Each structure stands twice: as C-alpha cells, then as structure tokens.
Amino acid sequence: MQIVQSDTIDKLPFSVATIGCFDGVHRGHRFLIEQVCTEARKRGLNSMLITFPVHPRQVMQKSYQPELLSCPAEKESLLLQQQADYCLLLPFTQELSQYSAKQFMQLLHEQYHVRALVIGYDHRFGHNRSEGFTDYCRYGKELGMEIVQAKGLVEEGISISSSAIRRLLSEGQIEQANHFLGYNYSLEGTVTEGFKIGRKLGFPTANIQPACGDKLIPGNGVYAVRVHLDAHCYPAMLNIGYRPTVNNGNNLSIEAHILNYSGDIYHCPVRIEFISFIRKEAKFEDLTALSRQLEEDRKNVTRMFSSLSGVYGSQQ
C-alpha cells in the first residue's frame, strides 16, 4: 500500500474507494477493505482507502475526547499491512464539514479520481449526516460514480465495530475485544516514578504514563499483560484504577508488576499488551489484606501464562 497526502492528487489513478476513520483497523474494517479490493479487481481499477489524520469530531468539537483504539502512528502502521493499493490521508476541515453528501462525492470523483465508492453498511457522511444510501446512489448516478453497499461483519448477532470494541474494553472484556480487533490491544507509554507502595508490599510496579492522551484506557481492574521493554517481552500483572486502599483520590494510575523481574526502568518507553482480565478493582481493609490479594493475583497470572504457548511472543 502507498499512503498519499491530499496534495499529491495528480498522482492518483482511477480507483474503487471507501471512506472511514478506521480507528483500530479491526476485523470489521478489514472485512470492508477486502470488499473494496474485490470490487476494484472486478473493474480493473486500483483500490483506495480514504481516512482522516485527525478524528472529524475533534475538528468540530475542540473539547471532544475521542478515546481512540489506535493513535495516528499505530493506525498508519496497521493500514500499511492491508492489501489496498492506496490510502489517502484527507484533512478534515471546517470547510469540508459543511459539504453536503453530493458535494463530498463530487470532490472524491473529480479531484481524487474515485470511480466507484464502497459505502459501509452503517456509514453516513455529509453535513448533518442526514442522507442515506438511496441518496448516495442517486447522486452517484448523476456524477457518473458507481455506489456499492458493503456488508458488515457480524458474529453471534454483534456487528464488529469500533464502538463495540470500545464498550468491551471499557467493561474489561479484553478477550472479546482482542477477538474483534484481530490482535491484542495495547498501550504505549513511559515508566514514571510513583509512591513506591508496591515495593514495600513486595510487588514493585512500573507506573505507566500513556504516550497518547487520546487513546482509550481499558476499564478499572487487574489484567494479565505482556510488557514490551528493550526488545524483550515479559509477563506481568497490571492494575488500572484509583487505588482506593491507599486513598489515591481521583488520580487514575496504570501500574504493572513484571513477574520475576528486577531492574531500574524509570523513564523507559514500554508497550503494554493486554491479554486477559483477572478481577475488578476493590478496596481492602488494610495493606496486609491488599498484599494477600496481590499474591493471589500473581499466582493466577502465572498460571494463566504457563498455560499459554509462546508466552513471551507478542500476538500483535
């Protein structure tokens, strides 16, 4: 795939295209991309994905917190793995937000050489998103652009979508979210210094400051994770929450205890790969009770990793 900017439109050939944010580039997106590639081959045209470097709602609402499944660099990396010929990065502007669906389709047809547009089963575009597939077909006929309606990927009655995956992650349903994604969800960040309470309890932790403030943090609780550090991968248990036992207030913490590891990793970049949900966050009577629970968590995480094949290899 070749990623192109909107200012290189003169180099774009005629294509079959689709439009989307492609947040997470999950299995639902890949199913759509496969359909685009199939339709392009049928017509002897190139296949193209059209996406936006910045989420459209962030342009429309400056205060909007998107809770992304993939930061821009991650999304670009995931898109590069797909089979489409081109990916057009189209800046979403205030001016573009005022385009009607027909005006936007005309832009795609005349400037970006789109000859057929594959539209996601639930996708709407244009000012106020008030028009639907029937309207798109009528405008396409007027413009000389073929409109194809894509099928959605549905499993057990659930449409695989970014919103469904966000809900699963927020509820701590990591295994199902990973299944829908087609890879293990992860967070990148830097190890920062904390209060070192875990060290006093015999469970030293690496406090993680996420690198992308717009990326979704899974729901509070304890997780089995892999920590990717200096080209190595380590099994670990991770807590996300407000540490109610030590009165952490409203400060959300993300801290990982790497199993059987010792070393100074302050200020080191890490990637946390989520594998499984262990339990919800809870408040304990005292630090002794917390320590007992942490030991039980460690045993559970150790057992879980020992049952997995290729424990030290990433699945992403």
Side-chain angles (χ1 to χ4, degrees):
M1 178 190 288
Q2 181 180 347
I3 292 185
V4 295
Q5 306 290 333
S6 59
D7 57 1
T8 59
I9 56 175
D10 58 312
K11 300 179 181 179
L12 287 175
F14 291 165
S15 68
V16 175
T18 193
I19 317 158
C21 289
F22 295 105
D23 183 25
V25 196
H26 51 69
R27 290 176 53 228
H29 291 141
R30 295 178 205 177
F31 185 63
L32 170 61
I33 293 169
E34 288 172 4
Q35 293 174 74
V36 173
C37 293
T38 298
E39 296 296 333
R41 285 193 295 269
K42 286 180 183 177
R43 294 161 177 78
L45 298 174
N46 283 269
S47 53
M48 182 166 69
L49 313 178
I50 301 171
T51 191
F52 310 103
V54 177
H55 195 288
R57 283 188 64 181
Q58 286 181 290
V59 176
M60 302 299 295
Q61 301 171 246
K62 297 299 182 184
S63 61
Y64 175 65
Q65 296 294 322
E67 294 194 312
L68 299 173
L69 300 176
S70 55
C71 67
E74 288 174 316
K75 184 172 85 168
E76 184 170 320
S77 176
L78 288 164
L79 286 172
L80 282 170
Q81 299 172 30
Q82 308 311 308
Q83 296 301 310
D85 297 306
Y86 294 92
C87 177
L88 171 64
L89 301 181
L90 180 63
F92 192 86
T93 63
Q94 289 286 349
E95 179 184 2
L96 190 62
S97 72
Q98 297 303 310
Y99 276 34
S100 66
K102 184 177 181 180
Q103 288 174 315
F104 185 59
M105 290 171 62
Q106 186 172 4
L107 173 73
L108 298 182
H109 184 261
E110 295 180 358
Q111 292 196 30
Y112 300 112
H113 310 155
V114 175
R115 292 299 175 263
L117 184 63
V118 179
I119 297 177
Y121 73 100
D122 63 347
H123 188 67
R124 286 177 178 263
F125 55 87
H127 183 59
N128 292 331
R129 297 159 57 92
S130 58
E131 295 149 303
F133 185 76
T134 302
D135 300 302
Y136 305 149
C137 289
R138 185 172 72 254
Y139 302 148
K141 189 173 183 179
E142 295 173 10
L143 295 168
M145 176 193 291
E146 188 177 357
I147 305 301
V148 179
Q149 188 167 36
K151 298 178 181 178
L153 182 58
V154 180
E155 288 188 356
E156 297 181 357
I158 301 175
S159 297
I160 296 181
S161 64
S162 297
S163 57
I165 294 169
R166 290 190 194 98
R167 176 182 58 79
L168 290 168
L169 289 171
S170 297
E171 294 173 354
Q173 298 189 54
I174 290 297
E175 293 92 337
Q176 186 66 24
N178 288 344
H179 176 63
F180 281 5
L181 284 166
Y183 57 86
N184 292 336
Y185 189 70
S186 66
L187 287 176
E188 292 187 0
T190 303
V191 179
T192 61
E193 293 198 39
F195 296 104
K196 298 182 174 61
I197 294 175
R199 187 178 301 277
K200 296 176 183 177
L201 297 175
F203 294 87
T205 59
N207 292 270
I208 314 300
Q209 177 62 48
C212 177
D214 287 332
K215 192 164 184 184
L216 184 147
I217 297 173
N220 294 355
V222 177
Y223 297 85
V225 301
R226 294 188 180 106
V227 174
H228 296 259
L229 170 68
D230 292 333
H232 296 284
C233 180
Y234 304 95
M237 61 187 198
L238 178 103
N239 182 76
I240 297 176
Y242 296 97
R243 303 193 302 176
T245 306
V246 296
N247 299 315
N248 201 45
N250 295 323
N251 299 313
L252 182 71
S253 67
I254 306 172
E255 46 188 343
H257 171 68
I258 304 175
L259 303 183
N260 304 315
Y261 179 87
S262 62
D264 184 355
I265 59 173
Y266 289 132
H267 313 299
C268 290
V270 296
R271 182 167 70 89
I272 306 298
E273 179 189 2
F274 288 81
I275 307 300
S276 181
F277 181 80
I278 302 301
R279 65 171 175 84
K280 294 181 179 179
E281 184 179 45
K283 183 175 182 177
F284 298 93
E285 294 179 1
D286 51 34
L287 293 180
T288 300
L290 173 59
S291 181
R292 283 197 297 267
Q293 180 60 58
L294 292 175
E295 182 58 43
E296 188 63 28
D297 294 338
R298 180 158 55 186
K299 290 178 182 177
N300 289 335
V301 171
T302 300
R303 278 195 296 268
M304 193 216 71
F305 274 115
S306 66
S307 68
L308 295 177
S309 60
V311 59
Y312 293 103
S314 171
Q315 297 177 22
Q316 184 170 352

